Amino acid sequence: AQTVTQSQPEMSVQEAETVTLSCTYDTSESDYYLFWYKQPPSRQMILVIRQEAYKQQNATENRFSVNFQKAAKSFSLKISDSQLGDAAMYFCAYSTGTASKLTFGTGTRLQVTL
Amino acid sequence: GAGVSQSPSNKVTEKGKDVELRCDPISGHTALYWYRQRLGQGLEFLIYFQGNSAPDKSGLPSDRFSAERTGESVSTLTIQRTQQEDSAVYLCASSSSGGGQPQHFGDGTRLSIL
């Protein structure tokens, strides 16, 4: 079975600094997708970034980028120039090309301080 | 609508009662998912609908849980004879198709069983 592990229950970063959230996963599939979702207190899940496993290039979305290490099964999220609005729970998630359901990690709570 | 709409936003009911939760997906999205999020935890997959194919019910925790979707429209998740452990936020998501496409989430229904 596929599993997603987020080993950092909580992280803190100062405004304007950079922070990296860790995620590892376990799969025997070759065709899969990885995601980072953000969940603020409003509880809506917001897609931050998506990575297709067959693409070697790391995905980027403005201040958000990933470090995708396929052999190591690692998918970390880097947030640059952190803003107060980045404070939220961040979930790493996985799906395959055939089984579309998302498997989520347990989340990392990110605090942003002044 | 512009996004995934869920109703009610909050539901409080007594143990043993039946509840029905509704999800209206983004127009044109063929795939629809239900997830459950217990307090302080990640999301657990419940059920997945893709077009007119048979749904993937592999995540339903017991036979008290069922869901329906007609075509590519509204879905309802029904929980019969509710138990206290059913208390959670129930999140619905839709995507343009299956197979790793980004899932767009609603705001969820917070279900509290007294």
Side-chain angles (χ1 to χ4, degrees):
Chain A
Q2 292 85 11
T3 58
V4 178
T5 302
Q6 294 180 251
S7 59
Q8 305 155 315
E10 290 191 9
M11 291 284 285
S12 184
V13 63
Q14 282 192 320
E15 198 177 17
E17 296 297 308
T18 295
V19 64
T20 299
L21 308 184
S22 301
C23 173
T24 59
Y25 59 95
D26 187 23
T27 184
S28 57
E29 301 284 339
S30 58
D31 176 24
Y32 58 90
Y33 303 80
L34 296 162
F35 305 82
W36 278 97
Y37 279 88
K38 168 185 176 181
Q39 188 178 42
S42 65
R43 86 180 179 227
Q44 186 181 26
M45 296 287 284
I46 302 165
L47 177 66
V48 174
I49 203 161
R50 171 178 176 263
Q51 175 79 42
E52 296 161 281
Y54 66 86
K55 288 188 176 179
Q56 292 187 336
Q57 187 172 7
N58 290 324
T60 63
E61 286 289 344
N62 301 314
R63 297 182 295 107
F64 299 87
S65 62
V66 298
N67 184 3
F68 175 45
Q69 300 290 327
K70 192 171 184 178
K73 295 181 181 175
S74 171
F75 183 62
S76 60
L77 175 70
K78 185 171 83 170
I79 306 174
S80 304
D81 186 25
S82 296
Q83 301 176 359
L84 293 177
D86 295 334
M89 282 290 288
Y90 286 81
F91 291 96
C92 179
Y94 161 100
S95 75
T96 69
T98 50
S100 302
K101 65 183 181 183
L102 289 169
T103 300
F104 285 86
T106 52
T108 296
R109 182 174 300 281
L110 179 66
Q111 291 184 317
V112 181
T113 59
L114 293 171
Chain B
V4 177
S5 177
Q6 290 188 247
S7 61
S9 180
N10 293 281
K11 176 74 176 178
V12 181
T13 192
E14 293 180 346
K15 177 182 170 181
K17 299 286 189 184
D18 297 352
V19 295
E20 195 171 273
L21 312 180
R22 176 187 168 104
C23 173
D24 197 347
I26 293 172
S27 178
H29 279 192
T30 60
L32 186 146
Y33 311 78
W34 284 98
Y35 296 89
R36 177 173 71 179
Q37 185 176 27
R38 289 190 164 128
L39 186 63
Q41 298 185 21
L43 279 70
E44 306 168 78
F45 166 76
L46 296 177
I47 190 168
Y48 160 53
F49 296 91
Q50 172 59 53
N52 293 318
S53 302
D56 175 358
K57 303 180 181 181
S58 61
L60 294 178
S62 77
D63 59 7
R64 296 187 295 104
F65 287 72
S66 63
E68 291 185 351
R69 185 186 189 197
T70 304
E72 297 179 1
S73 61
V74 171
S75 174
T76 55
L77 175 68
T78 301
I79 309 173
Q80 296 178 309
R81 305 181 302 282
T82 52
Q83 304 295 311
Q84 287 192 329
E85 63 262 28
D86 299 334
S87 295
V89 175
Y90 290 82
L91 288 152
C92 176
S94 70
S95 65
S96 57
S97 66
Q101 291 303 306
Q103 295 182 23
H104 302 269
F105 285 80
D107 289 342
T109 293
R110 182 179 299 281
L111 177 63
S112 300
I113 310 299
L114 302 178

PDB file of all heavy atoms in Angstrom, chain B residues 39-77:
ATOM      1  N   LEU B  39     -10.468  15.283  13.662  1.00  0.00           N
ATOM      2  CA  LEU B  39      -9.819  16.425  14.294  1.00  0.00           C
ATOM      3  C   LEU B  39      -8.313  16.204  14.404  1.00  0.00           C
ATOM      4  O   LEU B  39      -7.859  15.196  14.955  1.00  0.00           O
ATOM      5  CB  LEU B  39     -10.419  16.650  15.692  1.00  0.00           C
ATOM      6  CG  LEU B  39      -9.938  17.906  16.430  1.00  0.00           C
ATOM      7  CD1 LEU B  39     -10.349  19.157  15.657  1.00  0.00           C
ATOM      8  CD2 LEU B  39     -10.498  17.948  17.840  1.00  0.00           C
ATOM      9  N   GLY B  40      -7.547  17.132  13.870  1.00  0.00           N
ATOM     10  CA  GLY B  40      -6.097  17.089  13.975  1.00  0.00           C
ATOM     11  C   GLY B  40      -5.421  16.048  13.118  1.00  0.00           C
ATOM     12  O   GLY B  40      -4.228  15.773  13.290  1.00  0.00           O
ATOM     13  N   GLN B  41      -6.159  15.473  12.180  1.00  0.00           N
ATOM     14  CA  GLN B  41      -5.582  14.414  11.356  1.00  0.00           C
ATOM     15  C   GLN B  41      -5.632  14.777   9.875  1.00  0.00           C
ATOM     16  O   GLN B  41      -6.221  15.778   9.473  1.00  0.00           O
ATOM     17  CB  GLN B  41      -6.329  13.102  11.610  1.00  0.00           C
ATOM     18  CG  GLN B  41      -6.220  12.623  13.050  1.00  0.00           C
ATOM     19  CD  GLN B  41      -6.856  11.269  13.252  1.00  0.00           C
ATOM     20  OE1 GLN B  41      -7.045  10.495  12.313  1.00  0.00           O
ATOM     21  NE2 GLN B  41      -7.189  10.963  14.489  1.00  0.00           N
ATOM     22  N   GLY B  42      -5.005  13.939   9.061  1.00  0.00           N
ATOM     23  CA  GLY B  42      -5.058  14.118   7.617  1.00  0.00           C
ATOM     24  C   GLY B  42      -6.371  13.603   7.051  1.00  0.00           C
ATOM     25  O   GLY B  42      -7.262  13.177   7.780  1.00  0.00           O
ATOM     26  N   LEU B  43      -6.486  13.662   5.761  1.00  0.00           N
ATOM     27  CA  LEU B  43      -7.722  13.245   5.104  1.00  0.00           C
ATOM     28  C   LEU B  43      -7.683  11.758   4.775  1.00  0.00           C
ATOM     29  O   LEU B  43      -6.667  11.242   4.340  1.00  0.00           O
ATOM     30  CB  LEU B  43      -7.926  14.036   3.802  1.00  0.00           C
ATOM     31  CG  LEU B  43      -8.508  15.430   3.930  1.00  0.00           C
ATOM     32  CD1 LEU B  43      -7.528  16.392   4.565  1.00  0.00           C
ATOM     33  CD2 LEU B  43      -8.970  15.940   2.569  1.00  0.00           C
ATOM     34  N   GLU B  44      -8.836  11.117   4.976  1.00  0.00           N
ATOM     35  CA  GLU B  44      -8.987   9.704   4.612  1.00  0.00           C
ATOM     36  C   GLU B  44      -9.948   9.617   3.429  1.00  0.00           C
ATOM     37  O   GLU B  44     -11.049  10.173   3.485  1.00  0.00           O
ATOM     38  CB  GLU B  44      -9.617   8.901   5.751  1.00  0.00           C
ATOM     39  CG  GLU B  44      -8.955   8.980   7.092  1.00  0.00           C
ATOM     40  CD  GLU B  44      -9.882   8.360   8.136  1.00  0.00           C
ATOM     41  OE1 GLU B  44      -9.945   7.110   8.214  1.00  0.00           O
ATOM     42  OE2 GLU B  44     -10.570   9.120   8.849  1.00  0.00           O
ATOM     43  N   PHE B  45      -9.566   8.881   2.415  1.00  0.00           N
ATOM     44  CA  PHE B  45     -10.421   8.671   1.251  1.00  0.00           C
ATOM     45  C   PHE B  45     -11.624   7.820   1.630  1.00  0.00           C
ATOM     46  O   PHE B  45     -11.496   6.826   2.349  1.00  0.00           O
ATOM     47  CB  PHE B  45      -9.608   7.982   0.160  1.00  0.00           C
ATOM     48  CG  PHE B  45     -10.427   7.407  -0.959  1.00  0.00           C
ATOM     49  CD1 PHE B  45     -10.975   8.236  -1.919  1.00  0.00           C
ATOM     50  CD2 PHE B  45     -10.657   6.042  -1.029  1.00  0.00           C
ATOM     51  CE1 PHE B  45     -11.732   7.707  -2.954  1.00  0.00           C
ATOM     52  CE2 PHE B  45     -11.409   5.509  -2.054  1.00  0.00           C
ATOM     53  CZ  PHE B  45     -11.946   6.337  -3.029  1.00  0.00           C
ATOM     54  N   LEU B  46     -12.782   8.200   1.118  1.00  0.00           N
ATOM     55  CA  LEU B  46     -14.003   7.430   1.338  1.00  0.00           C
ATOM     56  C   LEU B  46     -14.489   6.770   0.047  1.00  0.00           C
ATOM     57  O   LEU B  46     -14.641   5.553  -0.023  1.00  0.00           O
ATOM     58  CB  LEU B  46     -15.110   8.311   1.913  1.00  0.00           C
ATOM     59  CG  LEU B  46     -14.859   8.913   3.298  1.00  0.00           C
ATOM     60  CD1 LEU B  46     -16.017   9.830   3.692  1.00  0.00           C
ATOM     61  CD2 LEU B  46     -14.667   7.816   4.332  1.00  0.00           C
ATOM     62  N   ILE B  47     -14.775   7.583  -0.988  1.00  0.00           N
ATOM     63  CA  ILE B  47     -15.387   7.052  -2.203  1.00  0.00           C
ATOM     64  C   ILE B  47     -15.064   7.969  -3.374  1.00  0.00           C
ATOM     65  O   ILE B  47     -14.826   9.156  -3.200  1.00  0.00           O
ATOM     66  CB  ILE B  47     -16.907   6.884  -2.021  1.00  0.00           C
ATOM     67  CG1 ILE B  47     -17.540   6.107  -3.182  1.00  0.00           C
ATOM     68  CG2 ILE B  47     -17.576   8.239  -1.823  1.00  0.00           C
ATOM     69  CD1 ILE B  47     -18.985   5.664  -2.897  1.00  0.00           C
ATOM     70  N   TYR B  48     -15.050   7.399  -4.582  1.00  0.00           N
ATOM     71  CA  TYR B  48     -14.684   8.118  -5.805  1.00  0.00           C
ATOM     72  C   TYR B  48     -15.651   7.751  -6.915  1.00  0.00           C
ATOM     73  O   TYR B  48     -15.922   6.571  -7.150  1.00  0.00           O
ATOM     74  CB  TYR B  48     -13.252   7.741  -6.176  1.00  0.00           C
ATOM     75  CG  TYR B  48     -12.801   7.958  -7.594  1.00  0.00           C
ATOM     76  CD1 TYR B  48     -12.945   9.188  -8.226  1.00  0.00           C
ATOM     77  CD2 TYR B  48     -12.189   6.929  -8.307  1.00  0.00           C
ATOM     78  CE1 TYR B  48     -12.504   9.387  -9.521  1.00  0.00           C
ATOM     79  CE2 TYR B  48     -11.743   7.118  -9.612  1.00  0.00           C
ATOM     80  CZ  TYR B  48     -11.891   8.345 -10.216  1.00  0.00           C
ATOM     81  OH  TYR B  48     -11.450   8.540 -11.498  1.00  0.00           O
ATOM     82  N   PHE B  49     -16.182   8.761  -7.586  1.00  0.00           N
ATOM     83  CA  PHE B  49     -17.044   8.587  -8.748  1.00  0.00           C
ATOM     84  C   PHE B  49     -16.333   9.131  -9.981  1.00  0.00           C
ATOM     85  O   PHE B  49     -15.761  10.220  -9.935  1.00  0.00           O
ATOM     86  CB  PHE B  49     -18.360   9.369  -8.579  1.00  0.00           C
ATOM     87  CG  PHE B  49     -19.219   8.903  -7.446  1.00  0.00           C
ATOM     88  CD1 PHE B  49     -19.088   9.460  -6.179  1.00  0.00           C
ATOM     89  CD2 PHE B  49     -20.183   7.924  -7.638  1.00  0.00           C
ATOM     90  CE1 PHE B  49     -19.886   9.050  -5.128  1.00  0.00           C
ATOM     91  CE2 PHE B  49     -20.994   7.506  -6.593  1.00  0.00           C
ATOM     92  CZ  PHE B  49     -20.844   8.067  -5.337  1.00  0.00           C
ATOM     93  N   GLN B  50     -16.382   8.406 -11.073  1.00  0.00           N
ATOM     94  CA  GLN B  50     -15.821   8.868 -12.343  1.00  0.00           C
ATOM     95  C   GLN B  50     -16.850   8.596 -13.437  1.00  0.00           C
ATOM     96  O   GLN B  50     -17.043   7.440 -13.842  1.00  0.00           O
ATOM     97  CB  GLN B  50     -14.498   8.170 -12.652  1.00  0.00           C
ATOM     98  CG  GLN B  50     -13.937   8.452 -14.048  1.00  0.00           C
ATOM     99  CD  GLN B  50     -13.685   9.912 -14.321  1.00  0.00           C
ATOM    100  OE1 GLN B  50     -13.006  10.597 -13.564  1.00  0.00           O
ATOM    101  NE2 GLN B  50     -14.247  10.415 -15.391  1.00  0.00           N
ATOM    102  N   GLY B  51     -17.489   9.644 -13.908  1.00  0.00           N
ATOM    103  CA  GLY B  51     -18.457   9.517 -14.979  1.00  0.00           C
ATOM    104  C   GLY B  51     -19.517   8.479 -14.638  1.00  0.00           C
ATOM    105  O   GLY B  51     -20.085   8.480 -13.554  1.00  0.00           O
ATOM    106  N   ASN B  52     -19.758   7.576 -15.565  1.00  0.00           N
ATOM    107  CA  ASN B  52     -20.771   6.547 -15.366  1.00  0.00           C
ATOM    108  C   ASN B  52     -20.177   5.218 -14.934  1.00  0.00           C
ATOM    109  O   ASN B  52     -20.885   4.200 -14.897  1.00  0.00           O
ATOM    110  CB  ASN B  52     -21.564   6.347 -16.669  1.00  0.00           C
ATOM    111  CG  ASN B  52     -22.393   7.566 -17.022  1.00  0.00           C
ATOM    112  OD1 ASN B  52     -23.012   8.157 -16.143  1.00  0.00           O
ATOM    113  ND2 ASN B  52     -22.393   7.952 -18.280  1.00  0.00           N
ATOM    114  N   SER B  53     -18.881   5.226 -14.598  1.00  0.00           N
ATOM    115  CA  SER B  53     -18.235   3.988 -14.140  1.00  0.00           C
ATOM    116  C   SER B  53     -18.696   3.634 -12.737  1.00  0.00           C
ATOM    117  O   SER B  53     -19.182   4.492 -11.989  1.00  0.00           O
ATOM    118  CB  SER B  53     -16.709   4.153 -14.141  1.00  0.00           C
ATOM    119  OG  SER B  53     -16.235   4.497 -15.424  1.00  0.00           O
ATOM    120  N   ALA B  54     -18.521   2.364 -12.378  1.00  0.00           N
ATOM    121  CA  ALA B  54     -18.844   1.945 -11.017  1.00  0.00           C
ATOM    122  C   ALA B  54     -17.934   2.693 -10.037  1.00  0.00           C
ATOM    123  O   ALA B  54     -16.733   2.826 -10.262  1.00  0.00           O
ATOM    124  CB  ALA B  54     -18.639   0.438 -10.879  1.00  0.00           C
ATOM    125  N   PRO B  55     -18.500   3.201  -8.942  1.00  0.00           N
ATOM    126  CA  PRO B  55     -17.677   3.972  -8.000  1.00  0.00           C
ATOM    127  C   PRO B  55     -16.668   3.097  -7.268  1.00  0.00           C
ATOM    128  O   PRO B  55     -16.874   1.903  -7.088  1.00  0.00           O
ATOM    129  CB  PRO B  55     -18.706   4.552  -7.027  1.00  0.00           C
ATOM    130  CG  PRO B  55     -19.895   3.661  -7.150  1.00  0.00           C
ATOM    131  CD  PRO B  55     -19.917   3.156  -8.552  1.00  0.00           C
ATOM    132  N   ASP B  56     -15.567   3.723  -6.861  1.00  0.00           N
ATOM    133  CA  ASP B  56     -14.566   3.071  -6.014  1.00  0.00           C
ATOM    134  C   ASP B  56     -14.978   3.317  -4.563  1.00  0.00           C
ATOM    135  O   ASP B  56     -14.800   4.412  -4.051  1.00  0.00           O
ATOM    136  CB  ASP B  56     -13.184   3.652  -6.300  1.00  0.00           C
ATOM    137  CG  ASP B  56     -12.102   3.113  -5.367  1.00  0.00           C
ATOM    138  OD1 ASP B  56     -12.415   2.306  -4.462  1.00  0.00           O
ATOM    139  OD2 ASP B  56     -10.940   3.522  -5.525  1.00  0.00           O
ATOM    140  N   LYS B  57     -15.515   2.291  -3.924  1.00  0.00           N
ATOM    141  CA  LYS B  57     -16.038   2.416  -2.564  1.00  0.00           C
ATOM    142  C   LYS B  57     -15.052   1.890  -1.520  1.00  0.00           C
ATOM    143  O   LYS B  57     -15.442   1.668  -0.364  1.00  0.00           O
ATOM    144  CB  LYS B  57     -17.337   1.613  -2.424  1.00  0.00           C
ATOM    145  CG  LYS B  57     -18.425   1.992  -3.390  1.00  0.00           C
ATOM    146  CD  LYS B  57     -19.661   1.138  -3.163  1.00  0.00           C
ATOM    147  CE  LYS B  57     -20.767   1.467  -4.122  1.00  0.00           C
ATOM    148  NZ  LYS B  57     -21.974   0.638  -3.888  1.00  0.00           N
ATOM    149  N   SER B  58     -13.812   1.695  -1.921  1.00  0.00           N
ATOM    150  CA  SER B  58     -12.870   0.982  -1.061  1.00  0.00           C
ATOM    151  C   SER B  58     -12.571   1.678   0.260  1.00  0.00           C
ATOM    152  O   SER B  58     -12.088   1.045   1.191  1.00  0.00           O
ATOM    153  CB  SER B  58     -11.558   0.736  -1.827  1.00  0.00           C
ATOM    154  OG  SER B  58     -10.967   1.969  -2.197  1.00  0.00           O
ATOM    155  N   GLY B  59     -12.854   2.973   0.371  1.00  0.00           N
ATOM    156  CA  GLY B  59     -12.549   3.696   1.598  1.00  0.00           C
ATOM    157  C   GLY B  59     -13.695   3.801   2.584  1.00  0.00           C
ATOM    158  O   GLY B  59     -13.512   4.281   3.707  1.00  0.00           O
ATOM    159  N   LEU B  60     -14.886   3.350   2.203  1.00  0.00           N
ATOM    160  CA  LEU B  60     -16.032   3.457   3.115  1.00  0.00           C
ATOM    161  C   LEU B  60     -15.773   2.601   4.352  1.00  0.00           C
ATOM    162  O   LEU B  60     -15.490   1.415   4.232  1.00  0.00           O
ATOM    163  CB  LEU B  60     -17.312   3.036   2.426  1.00  0.00           C
ATOM    164  CG  LEU B  60     -17.778   3.924   1.274  1.00  0.00           C
ATOM    165  CD1 LEU B  60     -19.048   3.371   0.641  1.00  0.00           C
ATOM    166  CD2 LEU B  60     -17.997   5.358   1.752  1.00  0.00           C
ATOM    167  N   PRO B  61     -15.863   3.184   5.560  1.00  0.00           N
ATOM    168  CA  PRO B  61     -15.459   2.464   6.774  1.00  0.00           C
ATOM    169  C   PRO B  61     -16.431   1.399   7.245  1.00  0.00           C
ATOM    170  O   PRO B  61     -16.032   0.496   7.977  1.00  0.00           O
ATOM    171  CB  PRO B  61     -15.319   3.580   7.810  1.00  0.00           C
ATOM    172  CG  PRO B  61     -16.202   4.669   7.316  1.00  0.00           C
ATOM    173  CD  PRO B  61     -16.212   4.588   5.835  1.00  0.00           C
ATOM    174  N   SER B  62     -17.687   1.509   6.883  1.00  0.00           N
ATOM    175  CA  SER B  62     -18.662   0.491   7.285  1.00  0.00           C
ATOM    176  C   SER B  62     -19.862   0.568   6.364  1.00  0.00           C
ATOM    177  O   SER B  62     -19.980   1.489   5.552  1.00  0.00           O
ATOM    178  CB  SER B  62     -19.095   0.722   8.741  1.00  0.00           C
ATOM    179  OG  SER B  62     -20.022   1.785   8.820  1.00  0.00           O
ATOM    180  N   ASP B  63     -20.778  -0.407   6.501  1.00  0.00           N
ATOM    181  CA  ASP B  63     -21.967  -0.411   5.641  1.00  0.00           C
ATOM    182  C   ASP B  63     -22.972   0.650   6.062  1.00  0.00           C
ATOM    183  O   ASP B  63     -24.021   0.793   5.431  1.00  0.00           O
ATOM    184  CB  ASP B  63     -22.606  -1.800   5.599  1.00  0.00           C
ATOM    185  CG  ASP B  63     -23.033  -2.295   6.971  1.00  0.00           C
ATOM    186  OD1 ASP B  63     -22.950  -1.512   7.944  1.00  0.00           O
ATOM    187  OD2 ASP B  63     -23.437  -3.462   7.076  1.00  0.00           O
ATOM    188  N   ARG B  64     -22.666   1.416   7.097  1.00  0.00           N
ATOM    189  CA  ARG B  64     -23.555   2.528   7.460  1.00  0.00           C
ATOM    190  C   ARG B  64     -23.332   3.722   6.522  1.00  0.00           C
ATOM    191  O   ARG B  64     -24.150   4.634   6.475  1.00  0.00           O
ATOM    192  CB  ARG B  64     -23.299   2.974   8.898  1.00  0.00           C
ATOM    193  CG  ARG B  64     -23.616   1.917   9.951  1.00  0.00           C
ATOM    194  CD  ARG B  64     -23.490   2.477  11.375  1.00  0.00           C
ATOM    195  NE  ARG B  64     -22.124   2.873  11.719  1.00  0.00           N
ATOM    196  CZ  ARG B  64     -21.700   4.124  11.769  1.00  0.00           C
ATOM    197  NH1 ARG B  64     -22.534   5.121  11.506  1.00  0.00           N
ATOM    198  NH2 ARG B  64     -20.456   4.395  12.099  1.00  0.00           N
ATOM    199  N   PHE B  65     -22.216   3.677   5.806  1.00  0.00           N
ATOM    200  CA  PHE B  65     -21.871   4.767   4.897  1.00  0.00           C
ATOM    201  C   PHE B  65     -22.238   4.383   3.467  1.00  0.00           C
ATOM    202  O   PHE B  65     -21.921   3.274   3.016  1.00  0.00           O
ATOM    203  CB  PHE B  65     -20.363   5.052   4.945  1.00  0.00           C
ATOM    204  CG  PHE B  65     -19.889   5.735   6.192  1.00  0.00           C
ATOM    205  CD1 PHE B  65     -19.838   5.049   7.401  1.00  0.00           C
ATOM    206  CD2 PHE B  65     -19.493   7.060   6.166  1.00  0.00           C
ATOM    207  CE1 PHE B  65     -19.398   5.683   8.556  1.00  0.00           C
ATOM    208  CE2 PHE B  65     -19.041   7.697   7.310  1.00  0.00           C
ATOM    209  CZ  PHE B  65     -18.996   7.006   8.505  1.00  0.00           C
ATOM    210  N   SER B  66     -22.872   5.320   2.752  1.00  0.00           N
ATOM    211  CA  SER B  66     -23.167   5.110   1.342  1.00  0.00           C
ATOM    212  C   SER B  66     -23.149   6.458   0.645  1.00  0.00           C
ATOM    213  O   SER B  66     -23.252   7.505   1.285  1.00  0.00           O
ATOM    214  CB  SER B  66     -24.524   4.424   1.161  1.00  0.00           C
ATOM    215  OG  SER B  66     -25.550   5.253   1.651  1.00  0.00           O
ATOM    216  N   ALA B  67     -22.984   6.430  -0.662  1.00  0.00           N
ATOM    217  CA  ALA B  67     -22.987   7.668  -1.440  1.00  0.00           C
ATOM    218  C   ALA B  67     -23.579   7.394  -2.798  1.00  0.00           C
ATOM    219  O   ALA B  67     -23.498   6.274  -3.315  1.00  0.00           O
ATOM    220  CB  ALA B  67     -21.576   8.238  -1.573  1.00  0.00           C
ATOM    221  N   GLU B  68     -24.169   8.440  -3.347  1.00  0.00           N
ATOM    222  CA  GLU B  68     -24.758   8.351  -4.674  1.00  0.00           C
ATOM    223  C   GLU B  68     -24.338   9.561  -5.483  1.00  0.00           C
ATOM    224  O   GLU B  68     -24.066  10.633  -4.947  1.00  0.00           O
ATOM    225  CB  GLU B  68     -26.292   8.338  -4.577  1.00  0.00           C
ATOM    226  CG  GLU B  68     -26.873   7.083  -3.977  1.00  0.00           C
ATOM    227  CD  GLU B  68     -28.395   7.096  -4.027  1.00  0.00           C
ATOM    228  OE1 GLU B  68     -28.981   8.146  -4.362  1.00  0.00           O
ATOM    229  OE2 GLU B  68     -28.988   6.042  -3.728  1.00  0.00           O
ATOM    230  N   ARG B  69     -24.285   9.359  -6.778  1.00  0.00           N
ATOM    231  CA  ARG B  69     -24.095  10.472  -7.700  1.00  0.00           C
ATOM    232  C   ARG B  69     -24.806  10.124  -8.984  1.00  0.00           C
ATOM    233  O   ARG B  69     -24.615   9.042  -9.542  1.00  0.00           O
ATOM    234  CB  ARG B  69     -22.615  10.718  -7.979  1.00  0.00           C
ATOM    235  CG  ARG B  69     -22.374  11.957  -8.835  1.00  0.00           C
ATOM    236  CD  ARG B  69     -20.940  12.131  -9.240  1.00  0.00           C
ATOM    237  NE  ARG B  69     -20.736  13.427  -9.870  1.00  0.00           N
ATOM    238  CZ  ARG B  69     -19.681  13.727 -10.616  1.00  0.00           C
ATOM    239  NH1 ARG B  69     -18.731  12.834 -10.826  1.00  0.00           N
ATOM    240  NH2 ARG B  69     -19.562  14.923 -11.145  1.00  0.00           N
ATOM    241  N   THR B  70     -25.593  11.038  -9.482  1.00  0.00           N
ATOM    242  CA  THR B  70     -26.302  10.835 -10.738  1.00  0.00           C
ATOM    243  C   THR B  70     -25.561  11.564 -11.839  1.00  0.00           C
ATOM    244  O   THR B  70     -25.452  12.794 -11.811  1.00  0.00           O
ATOM    245  CB  THR B  70     -27.745  11.374 -10.638  1.00  0.00           C
ATOM    246  OG1 THR B  70     -28.401  10.751  -9.532  1.00  0.00           O
ATOM    247  CG2 THR B  70     -28.506  11.066 -11.916  1.00  0.00           C
ATOM    248  N   GLY B  71     -25.020  10.779 -12.779  1.00  0.00           N
ATOM    249  CA  GLY B  71     -24.276  11.377 -13.883  1.00  0.00           C
ATOM    250  C   GLY B  71     -23.079  12.158 -13.396  1.00  0.00           C
ATOM    251  O   GLY B  71     -22.284  11.662 -12.614  1.00  0.00           O
ATOM    252  N   GLU B  72     -22.963  13.396 -13.847  1.00  0.00           N
ATOM    253  CA  GLU B  72     -21.839  14.242 -13.443  1.00  0.00           C
ATOM    254  C   GLU B  72     -22.337  15.396 -12.592  1.00  0.00           C
ATOM    255  O   GLU B  72     -21.755  16.478 -12.600  1.00  0.00           O
ATOM    256  CB  GLU B  72     -21.104  14.752 -14.688  1.00  0.00           C
ATOM    257  CG  GLU B  72     -20.489  13.628 -15.497  1.00  0.00           C
ATOM    258  CD  GLU B  72     -19.775  14.116 -16.755  1.00  0.00           C
ATOM    259  OE1 GLU B  72     -19.756  15.341 -16.981  1.00  0.00           O
ATOM    260  OE2 GLU B  72     -19.249  13.274 -17.489  1.00  0.00           O
ATOM    261  N   SER B  73     -23.389  15.144 -11.814  1.00  0.00           N
ATOM    262  CA  SER B  73     -23.959  16.229 -11.029  1.00  0.00           C
ATOM    263  C   SER B  73     -23.747  15.983  -9.547  1.00  0.00           C
ATOM    264  O   SER B  73     -22.757  15.406  -9.124  1.00  0.00           O
ATOM    265  CB  SER B  73     -25.439  16.360 -11.367  1.00  0.00           C
ATOM    266  OG  SER B  73     -26.113  15.168 -11.033  1.00  0.00           O
ATOM    267  N   VAL B  74     -24.703  16.424  -8.778  1.00  0.00           N
ATOM    268  CA  VAL B  74     -24.627  16.431  -7.325  1.00  0.00           C
ATOM    269  C   VAL B  74     -24.429  15.029  -6.765  1.00  0.00           C
ATOM    270  O   VAL B  74     -24.918  14.039  -7.305  1.00  0.00           O
ATOM    271  CB  VAL B  74     -25.920  17.051  -6.764  1.00  0.00           C
ATOM    272  CG1 VAL B  74     -26.012  16.890  -5.263  1.00  0.00           C
ATOM    273  CG2 VAL B  74     -26.012  18.525  -7.146  1.00  0.00           C
ATOM    274  N   SER B  75     -23.688  14.985  -5.655  1.00  0.00           N
ATOM    275  CA  SER B  75     -23.515  13.734  -4.923  1.00  0.00           C
ATOM    276  C   SER B  75     -24.006  13.907  -3.495  1.00  0.00           C
ATOM    277  O   SER B  75     -23.909  15.006  -2.921  1.00  0.00           O
ATOM    278  CB  SER B  75     -22.041  13.320  -4.899  1.00  0.00           C
ATOM    279  OG  SER B  75     -21.837  12.181  -4.088  1.00  0.00           O
ATOM    280  N   THR B  76     -24.543  12.839  -2.929  1.00  0.00           N
ATOM    281  CA  THR B  76     -24.920  12.844  -1.519  1.00  0.00           C
ATOM    282  C   THR B  76     -24.210  11.712  -0.800  1.00  0.00           C
ATOM    283  O   THR B  76     -24.116  10.595  -1.313  1.00  0.00           O
ATOM    284  CB  THR B  76     -26.438  12.692  -1.340  1.00  0.00           C
ATOM    285  OG1 THR B  76     -26.872  11.509  -2.025  1.00  0.00           O
ATOM    286  CG2 THR B  76     -27.177  13.881  -1.891  1.00  0.00           C
ATOM    287  N   LEU B  77     -23.697  12.018   0.366  1.00  0.00           N
ATOM    288  CA  LEU B  77     -23.081  11.023   1.249  1.00  0.00           C
ATOM    289  C   LEU B  77     -24.042  10.821   2.414  1.00  0.00           C
ATOM    290  O   LEU B  77     -24.416  11.791   3.078  1.00  0.00           O
ATOM    291  CB  LEU B  77     -21.728  11.507   1.752  1.00  0.00           C
ATOM    292  CG  LEU B  77     -21.001  10.621   2.776  1.00  0.00           C
ATOM    293  CD1 LEU B  77     -20.542   9.319   2.130  1.00  0.00           C
ATOM    294  CD2 LEU B  77     -19.800  11.361   3.387  1.00  0.00           C
TER     295      LEU B  77
END
